[in-house]
Amino acid sequence: MPTTTPRVSDIVDGLTALTGTAVGPTRITGTDPITPSPHRIGDASAAAIAAFGAQIAALGDSSRVSVSVSDAVDQLRAAYLTTINGQSTGSVAEDPTALRNNDFYRTADGWTFLITTFPHQRDAVCSVLNCPPTKERIAQAALAWKSVALEEAVVAAGGVAAAARTAEQWAASPVGIDVARRPVIDLERIDDADYEFLTAPREWPPLNGVRVVDMTHVIAGPVSTELLAAFGADVVHVTRPDLVDPHPMPALTGGGKRNAYCDVRDPDQLAELTDLIADGDVFVNAYRGLQRHDLDAEHLARRRPGIIVVEYHCWGSDGPWGDRGGFDQLARSATGFSLEEGRGGPPTLPPTHLLNDYLAAYLGATGIVATLRRRQSEGGSWRVRVRLARVCTWVQSLGPSGADSDIDWGTRSIELTTVDGPFGRIDEPVIPIMFDGKPTPRPLPARPLGTSPLAW
């Protein structure tokens, strides 16, 4: 932990320094503690949102951005504040019980977080524990295991899990050491290429003409590209037709995007996708093994000089756990974040429930816009990497919030707006950034998966 607690403006400056760009001033109103979390989740969220806003403002010739810490905290729970035709997002899923078994389970020596959202993840957990997919039976079977052994067995069976480690245990592990040496926004110039200027400089919103291929799922990657779409980018979201997210996800995170199907295992569809990326500016992905299909950054930079490839990963695709999948909760479990949230008791989630997904979205979007700016002044092909585990340790590094565990919190601060579209009426939080002299774009309508061609 730091010896002194950095101000939110200093945190914004630190994030901006990682991008290698210059931005205008930011104004942050409010400060932690706002929630009962021992972590500065409000300050961290405000800093990430302000860093993104500052990059947009620099591109769009706005002088200053303002962010409220209270609104920023609400952004972390946007999925829980959003309603679809008056219904909570969880209640309209194809299987409203899909998330029910995702939890910390007590083991013989600690706790392990198990995820059973998708069928293959459920099957991995239940095959290892030799039990049916009910919370009570999973809990009973987990008691016979040690936490790390259960984690490793589930991963070996093709699932995802993470033992609840302390921050010290994580920091001393090979994967913890590898993640710690990476910046929370990791920008890398991977090849030479000519300068590329945006087609609509100084217009508002400033990303008009930028083409983005989004091959991500759930929240972090999709929210980052939803932000790009709100600020003018042309975004095509690509989904494998037999591996789709639950129904509410495209409604929650698909604003302003077109949605196409593509199965990269089919050579013809892979060729179409490769052509689509080659005619674009940014490729955002969150899947492992794309190098098998020549969709990794190095291959794409040779095919399309000047490409910006963005990689979302829980642990780092080239690190000791590069072959493991992961989600927000697993990053918090493995890094010690959840044990710290538990304040000496069982590990728990932060009061917002979500953390990394929305923070990673804004941090990745910050890196994308910064790299678009650097491509104008330096040229080059670029890679931007965001690791959920590193987001956790970045928040931990900001120091304690000083909050009492019984602090009164829960009232919504952020404004909601109504968006009408193919999903009906969606009431969702606004983008929590104010720009001096420029209007903040409102969220755009979302479209169902597979309703658009794989083309610009």
Side-chain angles (χ1 to χ4, degrees), residues 216-285:
T216 65
H217 67 131
V218 191
I219 294 178
V223 169
S224 73
T225 56
E226 184 182 32
L227 287 168
L228 302 182
F231 285 92
D234 183 2
V235 181
V236 177
H237 180 255
V238 179
T239 306
R240 206 173 90 179
D242 62 336
L243 195 63
V244 298
D245 280 342
H247 168 74
M249 286 293 103
L252 274 170
T253 66
K257 307 178 200 178
R258 287 172 285 136
N259 280 292
Y261 284 142
C262 177
D263 190 334
V264 298
R265 298 169 298 183
D266 179 287
D268 293 336
Q269 294 183 52
L270 174 60
E272 286 186 68
L273 175 62
T274 304
D275 289 343
L276 187 77
I277 296 169
D279 287 335
D281 298 283
V282 182
F283 175 50
V284 188
N285 73 80

Side-chain angles (χ1 to χ4, degrees), residues 88-134:
S88 67
T89 56
S91 68
V92 298
E94 297 90 330
D95 179 7
T97 68
L99 303 178
R100 183 176 297 170
N101 293 338
N102 294 348
D103 207 347
F104 292 99
Y105 289 89
R106 186 182 288 277
T107 63
D109 64 343
W111 301 83
T112 298
F113 200 100
L114 301 175
I115 286 184
T116 62
T117 302
F118 294 97
H120 68 283
Q121 296 163 352
R122 176 201 62 210
D123 293 347
V125 168
C126 293
S127 65
V128 166
L129 295 178
N130 191 27
C131 71
T134 67

Side-chain angles (χ1 to χ4, degrees), residues 113-115 160-163 314-315 325-335:
F113 200 100
L114 301 175
I115 286 184
V160 289
C314 192
W315 319 109
F327 293 88
D328 188 343
Q329 306 97 320
L330 301 184
R332 283 178 269 144
S333 183
T335 58

Side-chain angles (χ1 to χ4, degrees), residues 354-367:
L354 295 174
L355 177 83
N356 295 293
D357 278 335
Y358 284 100
L359 284 178
Y362 276 92
L363 293 169
T366 300

Side-chain angles (χ1 to χ4, degrees), residues 55-412:
Q55 293 292 337
I56 288 288
L59 198 59
D61 203 21
S62 175
S63 58
R64 182 168 65 174
V65 301
S66 302
V67 174
S68 157
V69 175
S70 295
D71 288 353
V73 167
D74 282 340
Q75 182 66 70
L76 297 178
R77 56 176 180 160
Y80 299 95
L81 297 176
T82 300
T83 59
I84 301 173
N85 295 315
Q87 306 299 313
S88 67
T89 56
S91 68
V92 298
E94 297 90 330
D95 179 7
T97 68
L99 303 178
R100 183 176 297 170
N101 293 338
N102 294 348
D103 207 347
F104 292 99
Y105 289 89
R106 186 182 288 277
T107 63
D109 64 343
W111 301 83
T112 298
F113 200 100
L114 301 175
I115 286 184
T116 62
T117 302
F118 294 97
H120 68 283
Q121 296 163 352
R122 176 201 62 210
D123 293 347
V125 168
C126 293
S127 65
V128 166
L129 295 178
N130 191 27
C131 71
T134 67
K135 195 161 193 175
E136 295 76 14
R137 294 293 296 276
I138 293 172
Q140 182 181 22
L143 288 170
W145 287 76
K146 290 191 174 181
S147 56
V148 173
L150 178 56
E151 166 194 284
E152 292 176 346
V154 170
V155 170
V160 289
R165 294 166 172 81
T166 66
E168 293 74 21
Q169 289 170 331
W170 171 258
S173 68
V175 63
I177 293 169
D178 178 73
V179 169
R181 67 185 180 87
R182 318 293 186 116
V184 69
I185 306 176
D186 190 358
L187 272 64
E188 177 188 11
R189 180 178 170 135
I190 59 175
D191 208 344
D192 293 331
D194 292 337
Y195 302 101
E196 291 195 38
F197 297 93
L198 300 187
T199 58
R202 301 306 181 191
E203 288 189 7
W204 192 264
L207 297 182
N208 285 307
V210 175
R211 287 178 163 182
V212 179
V213 178
D214 171 5
M215 195 170 168
T216 65
H217 67 131
V218 191
I219 294 178
V223 169
S224 73
T225 56
E226 184 182 32
L227 287 168
L228 302 182
F231 285 92
D234 183 2
V235 181
V236 177
H237 180 255
V238 179
T239 306
R240 206 173 90 179
D242 62 336
L243 195 63
V244 298
D245 280 342
H247 168 74
M249 286 293 103
L252 274 170
T253 66
K257 307 178 200 178
R258 287 172 285 136
N259 280 292
Y261 284 142
C262 177
D263 190 334
V264 298
R265 298 169 298 183
D266 179 287
D268 293 336
Q269 294 183 52
L270 174 60
E272 286 186 68
L273 175 62
T274 304
D275 289 343
L276 187 77
I277 296 169
D279 287 335
D281 298 283
V282 182
F283 175 50
V284 188
N285 73 80
Y287 292 93
R288 292 166 288 139
L290 291 185
Q291 68 275 8
R292 296 195 302 268
H293 307 287
D294 292 345
L295 294 177
D296 56 288
E298 287 77 13
H299 275 98
L300 292 175
R302 289 193 289 271
R303 171 70 186 272
R304 196 290 194 209
I307 191 75
I308 297 168
V309 177
V310 185
E311 300 173 1
Y312 279 96
H313 197 277
C314 192
W315 319 109
S317 59
D318 57 350
W321 284 5
D323 60 345
R324 294 192 184 193
F327 293 88
D328 188 343
Q329 306 97 320
L330 301 184
R332 283 178 269 144
S333 183
T335 58
F337 193 98
S338 289
L339 281 172
E340 292 169 350
E341 285 288 329
R343 297 176 180 267
T348 188
L349 303 179
T352 53
H353 293 285
L354 295 174
L355 177 83
N356 295 293
D357 278 335
Y358 284 100
L359 284 178
Y362 276 92
L363 293 169
T366 300
I368 293 168
V369 179
T371 307
L372 286 168
R373 295 177 61 206
R374 292 185 67 172
R375 196 177 67 167
Q376 292 189 124
S377 60
E378 303 173 35
S381 299
W382 295 80
R383 173 163 47 207
V384 180
R385 288 186 277 198
V386 178
R387 303 163 181 86
L388 300 189
R390 185 66 182 91
V391 175
C392 271
T393 59
W394 171 68
V395 177
Q396 290 168 302
S397 75
L398 303 179
S401 69
D404 295 328
S405 59
D406 60 351
I407 190 172
D408 186 21
W409 175 76
T411 303
R412 173 176 58 83

